[in-house]
Amino acid sequence: MSNTAQRSAQAFESSSATCPRKASPRGVAYHDVGQGEPLVLVHGVGMRLEAWSPQIPEFARTHRVIAVDMPGHGESKALPAGSTIKDFVAWLERFLDDIGLSRVNIAGHSMGAMISGGAVATFPERIARVAYLNGVHKRDPDAKAAVLARAAAIRSSGVDKEGPLLRWFGDDPESNRARELTRAWLEQIDPQAYATAYSAFATGDDVFCDCWPKVTCPAMFLTGDGDPNSTPEMAKTMATQAQNGWARIISGHRHMVNLTAPGIVNDMMREWLATEERPT
C-alpha cells in the first residue's frame, strides 16, 4: 500500500469515531486538541466536526486544533429559524470570544468556507490565515436557482440525503467510504436546523463575495476539478482577487476532498499554514 493510500485508510478509521467535545458558555460544541498556534476548522451544512477527522490528528501535532460543530449540527445549539449567513459569522465571532481566542487560522469547508470568508471580511484583524475549501463564489443564475429550490424543498420534504451524495462523490474506493460516513451524518441532522443552515448557505454566496481584494492574509482556495457547485473557476477567481491568495485544484475529486483525498489536502494545508504573513 502506498503512503498516500495508507494515510487515507487510517483517516477513514478515525473518521468513524466520535470526537470528545467541550461546550462553550453559549452552547457551541467543539473538539480541542494539541498545542500551538490556533487552527479553527468549520465543516459544511449537514455535517459535523468529525468531517475533519483526517485533518485533526495531523495538525494537532503542530497546532492547537479547534474543530467546531456548526449551529444545530452535532451537539451545538441551533440558531433561530431565518438566520442568515451574517448570523452564522456573528456566531463564530462570539464563539472565539467565549473560548478566549483573539487571532486564529481558519479553514472552512463548503458552508464553513462561506463562514470563514465572512469572518475575514468582518473581523480581519482576528484572522491570520484563511483556507476556503470547496467554497462557492457568485453562483451563476442556473446554479443559484437550483440551490434555492433545494433550500425550499427541505421545509416541505425534509432532508434529501441522496442528492448531495450524488453531487459530492465519485465512484472510487475513497469516495465510497466517505459517502457512507456522510450518509450517516446526514441521517443524524436535525431537519429544522438543516433547513436554517441550508437557507443561509443558498442565499449567502454574494454577501461577502467582494471582500477578497481587501484580504491581505495568506488565503488558499481549494476544490476538486469535478466539483459541480464549488468549481475550479470560482476558486481561481477568488485567488486572483486576494492580495496573497492562491488556488489548488485536486484532480479526480469532487466536493468532499478533505475526506476523499486527505493526504493531498493535508499537504496543501501544511503549505498554507507555513506561508508567512506579509507586513501591512
Side-chain angles (χ1 to χ4, degrees), residues 191-278:
Q192 178 61 54
Y194 183 77
T196 299
Y198 203 95
S199 178
F201 175 64
T203 58
D205 60 296
D206 57 357
V207 175
F208 299 108
C209 62
D210 294 325
C211 77
W212 298 113
K214 299 177 183 178
V215 173
T216 59
C217 70
M220 179 176 68
F221 303 89
L222 186 159
T223 194
D225 67 349
D227 192 328
N229 300 117
S230 308
T231 66
E233 290 73 22
M234 290 177 177
K236 292 172 184 176
T237 296
M238 291 183 283
T240 299
Q241 292 177 356
Q243 295 184 38
N244 190 12
W246 64 95
R248 294 289 182 266
I249 311 302
I250 301 180
S251 178
H253 291 267
R254 295 189 187 178
H255 191 63
M256 301 295 289
V257 293
N258 67 304
L259 287 175
T260 61
I264 298 171
V265 169
N266 289 355
D267 287 345
M268 292 176 175
M269 288 182 66
R270 270 191 293 271
E271 174 195 17
W272 163 67
L273 287 167
T275 303
E276 295 291 333
E277 298 180 71
R278 293 176 180 172

Side-chain angles (χ1 to χ4, degrees), residues 37-40 63 96 101-107 116 119-121 123-131 212 215-220 244 246 272-280:
E37 197 175 337
L39 169 61
V40 175
H63 291 72
L96 297 182
L101 292 178
S102 59
R103 202 156 187 265
V104 301
N105 302 292
I106 187 164
S116 300
V120 78
F123 40 95
E125 72 284 353
R126 302 185 70 168
I127 307 300
R129 297 173 184 82
V130 60
W212 298 113
V215 173
T216 59
C217 70
M220 179 176 68
N244 190 12
W246 64 95
W272 163 67
L273 287 167
T275 303
E276 295 291 333
E277 298 180 71
R278 293 176 180 172
T280 57

